[in-house]
Amino acid sequence: MSEHIDLLTGVGAETRSHYCQQMTAHIAPVTGSLPVSALTYRRVAGRVRAITDKGLAPKTIANVHGLLSAAMAKAAPWGASPPPPPD
């Protein structure tokens, strides 16, 4: 995730900082230590549900999910094992 944020083009320092804050607050506490192959549909959906239950604004939830989704889309081309298909 950090590498994805670091390598983004076309974003300013403020946006990059905001993405890092989202990662630190909403993604890393649950998924930060897991390999990409462990980020299953259930785990990601559970994380989205957890931040929804915290009362985050729908736009924030969409932004966090978008950040995670974009990083996952880059993971396979960078050599990470893809997660298994949804069950």
Side-chain angles (χ1 to χ4, degrees), residues 29-74:
V30 174
T31 62
S33 63
L34 299 172
V36 171
S37 60
L39 295 178
T40 62
Y41 173 83
R42 281 191 172 132
R43 193 174 302 267
V44 172
R47 188 65 198 139
V48 171
R49 176 67 185 261
I51 62 175
T52 300
D53 291 347
K54 283 184 173 180
L56 270 62
K59 180 159 176 36
T60 301
I61 295 164
N63 290 343
V64 169
H65 183 265
L67 178 60
L68 180 57
S69 177
M72 292 293 295
K74 295 288 188 219

Side-chain angles (χ1 to χ4, degrees), residues 18-35:
H18 182 70
Y19 289 161
C20 287
Q21 290 171 359
Q22 286 184 332
M23 177 187 67
T24 301
H26 306 300
I27 299 169
V30 174
T31 62
S33 63
L34 299 172

